[in-house]
């Protein structure tokens, strides 16, 4: 990177000589370069950490995808392995722009990184706002649904909740078609002590647990074992504990399985741990804002230095013209 120089014309020597810089100016330039290097390598460190995380996500997703059976479903909304690959690729692309742009002082890459990160930040804020609204909509869902049935009006709140339930119900329908999806649903039901989307009878939507006389499955009218209530002194896992539970009333089934739906349980957990969720979200957003600020600061510094370089090149061009025409008369003195 070009460093600006100060030169003056020395008539006795017949050439330009460097100006003597003051100690204050030299210290100022040194502190400026230290600040720039701090911004540059801090941005590179953050981007590199996220770049490594994205590479791990891609590797895990590819491994899970290859280890699956060939006839599994390939839908982004219900395939955790495919979701990991897509998220990892997006993170890899964004962080690569930040790493390479910061390391090579490429303003175009830094501006692309800044723009994409700004879009991601806006989407995250919008998703957080929608999630916060959904926590209130779930508690009012049953009242709104009853009101809609009475008045015949389909409100926006009911539409959002119905779409969310449809997405979760799609995962229930494809429970046994994807091993990763099955493990994810089992984890959620064990973690939040729930069963199904709205209640335990939602599992009748799955062909293996469908409660009908024509269903030849051994798990007919049952629920997955992850819905079962496990006793503290139970050492052997009973995977058949959910058989026939859909035929029982809720009061009787509650003694053996968790009857509440997972949608309501997840929202209640988010409401109880609102400070934790808000803190993690705010920390992630703050980190992204810091990375955006570092990228903007480095791009602005590079632009300012390049502008100074153009001014310096103009001055040097003028100095070359002066050196070309005037040095022959530099030592001329009248006698």
């Amino acid at each position: 990177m070009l460093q600006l120089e100060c030169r003056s014309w020395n008539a006795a020597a017949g050439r330009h000589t460097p100006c003597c810089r003051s100690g204050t100016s030299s210290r100022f330039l040194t502190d400026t370069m230290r600040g720039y290097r701090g911004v540059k390598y801090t941005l590179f460190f953050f981007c590199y950490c996220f770049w490594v995380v994205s590479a791990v996500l891609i590797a895990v997703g590819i491994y899970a995808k290859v280890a699956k059976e060939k006839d599994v479903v390939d839908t982004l909304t219900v395939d955790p392995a495919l979701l990991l690959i897509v998220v990892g690729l997006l993170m890899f692309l964004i962080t690569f722009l930040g790493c390479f742009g910061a390391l090579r002082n490429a303003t175009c890459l830094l501006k692309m990184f800044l723009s994409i990160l700004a879009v991601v930040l806006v989407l995250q804020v919008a998703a957080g706002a929608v999630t916060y609204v959904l926590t209130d909509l779930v508690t009012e869902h049953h009242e709104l649904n009853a009101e809609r049935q009475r008045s015949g009006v389909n409100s926006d709140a009911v539409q959002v909740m119905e779409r969310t339930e449809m997405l979760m119900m799609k995962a229930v329908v494809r429970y046994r078609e994807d091993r990763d999806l099955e493990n994810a649903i089992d984890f959620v039901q064990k973690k939040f002590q729930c069963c199904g989307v709205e209640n335990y009878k939602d599992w009748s939507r799955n062909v293996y647990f469908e409660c009908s006389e024509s269903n030849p499955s051994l798990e007919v009218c049952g629920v997955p074992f992850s819905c079962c209530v496990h006793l503290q002194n139970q050492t052997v896992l009973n995977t058949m504990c959910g058989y026939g539970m859909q035929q029982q009333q809720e009061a009787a089934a509650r003694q053996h399985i968790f009857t509440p739906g997972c949608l309501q349980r997840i929202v209640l957990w988010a409401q109880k741990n609102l400070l934790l969720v808000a803190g993690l979200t705010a920390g992630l957003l703050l980190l992204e804002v810091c990375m955006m600020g570092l990228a903007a600061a480095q791009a602005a510094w590079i632009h300012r230095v390049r502008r100074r370089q153009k001014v310096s090149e103009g001055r040097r061009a003028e100095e070359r013209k002066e050196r070309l025409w005037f040095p022959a008369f530099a030592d001329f003195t009248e006698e």
Side-chain angles (χ1 to χ4, degrees):
M1 187 171 292
L2 182 62
Q3 185 176 359
L4 299 180
E5 298 181 356
C6 175
R7 292 176 176 269
S8 62
W9 175 256
N10 191 337
R15 60 186 178 87
H16 287 82
T17 57
C19 299
C20 296
R21 297 183 180 271
S22 62
T24 304
S25 177
S26 178
R27 286 193 299 270
F28 174 76
L29 291 175
T30 302
D31 295 339
T32 302
M33 288 302 300
R34 287 178 180 175
Y36 170 74
R37 288 169 182 165
V39 170
K40 174 180 179 178
Y41 290 111
T42 302
L43 177 61
F44 174 77
F45 174 76
F46 285 148
C47 292
Y48 180 77
C49 292
F50 280 99
W51 184 79
V52 173
V53 173
S54 65
V56 173
L57 291 178
I58 295 174
V60 173
I62 293 176
Y63 173 78
K65 196 67 179 175
V66 172
K68 287 182 181 180
E69 296 82 358
K70 295 182 179 180
D71 57 346
V72 297
V73 63
D74 291 333
T75 306
L76 181 60
T77 55
V78 294
D79 191 350
L82 188 60
L83 185 62
L84 283 177
I85 295 175
V86 173
V87 173
L89 287 175
L90 291 177
M91 286 183 58
F92 186 88
L93 175 62
I94 296 173
T95 52
F96 175 78
L97 295 176
C99 287
F100 195 78
L103 197 62
R104 301 299 300 175
N105 301 325
T107 55
C108 59
L109 296 181
L110 289 174
K111 291 179 180 179
M112 291 177 60
F113 172 75
L114 180 60
S115 301
I116 296 176
L117 206 59
V119 174
V120 172
L121 181 64
V122 172
L123 293 178
Q124 287 178 341
V125 172
V130 172
T131 304
Y132 179 77
V133 172
L134 285 177
T135 56
D136 295 333
L137 293 180
V138 170
T139 57
E140 302 175 358
H141 172 57
H142 297 288
E143 298 178 359
L144 291 173
N145 193 17
E147 182 181 355
R148 178 180 65 86
Q149 292 178 356
R150 290 193 302 267
S151 61
V153 178
N154 194 2
S155 62
D156 295 337
V158 175
Q159 290 181 359
V160 173
M161 289 308 305
E162 287 179 351
R163 291 174 183 174
T164 305
E165 290 181 2
M166 287 176 59
L167 180 62
M168 297 181 66
M169 198 66 69
K170 186 185 296 184
V172 170
V173 172
R174 297 177 177 174
Y175 174 72
R176 288 293 172 81
E177 298 179 9
D178 190 341
R179 178 64 64 180
D180 292 334
L181 180 61
E182 180 179 343
N183 293 333
I185 293 176
D186 289 336
F187 172 78
V188 171
Q189 293 189 146
K190 291 179 182 178
K191 174 68 177 178
F192 296 99
Q193 297 182 352
C194 57
C195 188
V197 180
E198 290 188 345
N199 53 59
Y200 65 102
K201 292 188 177 181
D202 290 335
W203 282 104
S204 187
R205 303 285 187 90
N206 189 283
V207 294
Y208 295 95
F209 304 101
E210 183 181 2
C211 196
S212 64
E213 296 180 357
S214 60
N215 189 0
S217 175
L218 296 176
E219 298 174 310
V220 58
C221 294
V223 294
F225 73 95
S226 55
C227 294
C228 297
V229 178
H230 300 287
L231 302 177
Q232 295 181 354
N233 57 354
Q234 184 178 3
T235 57
V236 179
L237 180 62
N238 182 14
T239 58
M240 301 175 63
C241 57
Y243 282 23
M245 287 298 164
Q246 294 186 45
Q247 294 177 334
Q248 300 184 12
Q249 297 297 327
E250 184 175 357
R254 193 181 296 115
Q255 299 178 2
H256 304 281
I257 63 173
F258 302 109
T259 57
C262 291
L263 178 59
Q264 185 177 3
R265 284 297 181 92
I266 292 174
V267 173
L268 291 176
W269 179 88
Q271 290 177 344
K272 291 180 180 179
N273 299 272
L274 186 60
L275 293 178
L276 176 62
V277 175
L280 294 176
T281 305
L284 180 60
L285 295 180
L286 181 61
L287 180 60
E288 293 179 0
V289 170
C290 291
M291 294 173 64
M292 291 173 59
L294 292 173
Q298 184 177 359
W301 199 94
I302 295 173
H303 181 70
R304 184 169 60 251
V305 170
R306 288 180 177 176
R307 186 171 62 250
R308 291 181 179 178
Q309 285 180 343
K310 293 181 180 179
V311 175
S312 177
E313 290 176 358
R315 291 178 180 177
R316 289 192 175 186
E318 294 179 357
E319 291 174 1
R320 284 194 295 268
K321 291 181 180 179
E322 294 177 357
R323 191 179 300 117
L324 179 63
W325 293 101
F326 296 102
F329 303 95
D331 296 331
F332 176 78
T333 56
E334 294 181 358
E335 295 181 355

